[in-house]
Amino acid sequence: MINNGSIFSQMPPVTKNLIIINLIVWLAMFVLPSRLGMSLETLGGLHYFRAADFNPVQLLTYMFMHSTGSFAHIFFNMFSLFMFGIALERTLGSARFLFYYISCGVGAGLIQELAWALTWEDSYVKILANLNHVDYPEMREYLRQAMHTPEGMRQIGVMLNSMVTIGASGAIYGVLLAFGMLFPNAPLYLFFIPVPIKAKWMVIGMGAIELLIGMSEATGASDGIAHFAHLGGMIFGFLIILYWKKHGTFGSGGSGYGGY
């Protein structure tokens, strides 16, 4: 009798263990807060570097945490990792795939930090001006003066704790980019489009959408999603792949999908 085992047991080790770790952390986010006296998101979620609760380790830990308010957040990230991570890990090898995944996640966090650095002041000036019923220039001047005093910086640091992001999406977008570059002509089906789309066009489209939405957020509109982090994962993934291709260590994308 031949036993081929389950699909999960046949998954390459890094993809499988990344999914397991993300699920364990997600479940722990329901259980541990009552015992710790604070949420895991406060400890491990990525905060703006000027926030009181920021810790550099959060650049790593945030990508293993997902919203407990919606199963869709972790489901779609892990489903994407399952769908595309397997092919990528088998092509690159487990060690390089792990390096690539973590690098894209950290890179996504760094880009999100940059986006916050460029936009946080204007965003909070508008909020504080409305709350205190003063005009924008007056509140901006008050905030800038506060940044020059220890007590003012402490208060700003506490206020900035509300800027936090979690999720593997940045790393996942890096995985999608690599899949699109390895297998550019692979046919992909989206839920709302009945015809297949080549991987390269899907990746380009997703990158463009994230850039456009991110730019709209910079002007004041926000949907609560870290679009610049998604874009950051793709940017760092692209840079890593360029380096590998320059040194002839990036796969050509066989499997019958063809090149660009």
Side-chain angles (χ1 to χ4, degrees), residues 16-126:
K16 177 169 64 177
N17 284 297
L18 284 173
I19 292 174
I20 292 173
I21 292 170
N22 275 276
L23 290 173
I24 290 175
V25 172
W26 185 68
L27 292 173
M29 291 176 72
F30 288 97
V31 178
L32 292 183
S34 59
R35 299 187 179 185
L36 295 176
M38 66 175 65
S39 69
L40 289 186
E41 185 174 329
T42 299
L43 294 174
L46 180 62
H47 293 70
Y48 180 40
F49 73 91
R50 286 186 172 180
D53 288 341
F54 172 74
N55 187 315
V57 177
Q58 294 168 356
L59 285 166
L60 178 65
T61 57
Y62 89 98
M63 71 181 81
F64 295 98
M65 309 177 74
H66 290 82
S67 171
T68 55
S70 171
F71 180 67
H73 189 205
I74 189 169
F75 172 78
F76 283 109
N77 275 344
M78 294 303 99
F79 180 73
S80 297
L81 180 57
F82 172 79
M83 291 295 295
F84 303 105
I86 292 175
L88 200 58
E89 182 176 350
R90 287 174 176 166
T91 303
L92 297 178
S94 294
R96 284 214 303 166
F97 174 68
L98 179 60
F99 168 80
Y100 179 82
Y101 181 91
I102 296 297
S103 297
C104 288
V106 172
L110 292 174
I111 295 297
Q112 182 60 41
E113 290 286 344
L114 177 61
W116 277 332
L118 296 174
T119 61
W120 80 267
E121 187 174 342
D122 283 341
S123 299
Y124 272 95
V125 167
K126 293 176 183 176

Side-chain angles (χ1 to χ4, degrees), residues 112-218:
Q112 182 60 41
E113 290 286 344
L114 177 61
W116 277 332
L118 296 174
T119 61
W120 80 267
E121 187 174 342
D122 283 341
S123 299
Y124 272 95
V125 167
K126 293 176 183 176
I127 294 172
L128 292 174
N130 290 332
L131 288 175
N132 292 278
H133 305 290
V134 299
D135 59 23
Y136 180 89
E138 181 180 350
M139 180 53 67
R140 183 164 192 164
E141 182 61 26
Y142 172 81
L143 191 63
R144 287 183 172 177
Q145 290 181 5
M147 292 174 65
H148 295 291
T149 66
E151 178 59 22
M153 285 302 298
R154 187 194 68 79
Q155 292 178 359
I156 291 173
V158 173
M159 177 184 69
L160 292 177
N161 280 334
S162 62
M163 298 169 65
V164 58
T165 189
I166 57 175
S169 300
I172 297 299
Y173 269 72
V175 169
L176 293 175
L177 174 80
F179 184 89
M181 295 185 72
L182 271 169
F183 311 109
N185 294 320
L188 301 176
Y189 291 86
L190 302 180
F191 292 112
F192 50 88
I193 300 178
V195 296
I197 299 175
K198 289 184 178 180
K200 59 184 177 183
W201 300 126
M202 188 195 74
V203 169
I204 292 172
M206 291 176 66
I209 290 172
E210 293 302 316
L211 177 60
L212 291 173
I213 298 178
M215 293 299 293
S216 70
E217 284 191 349

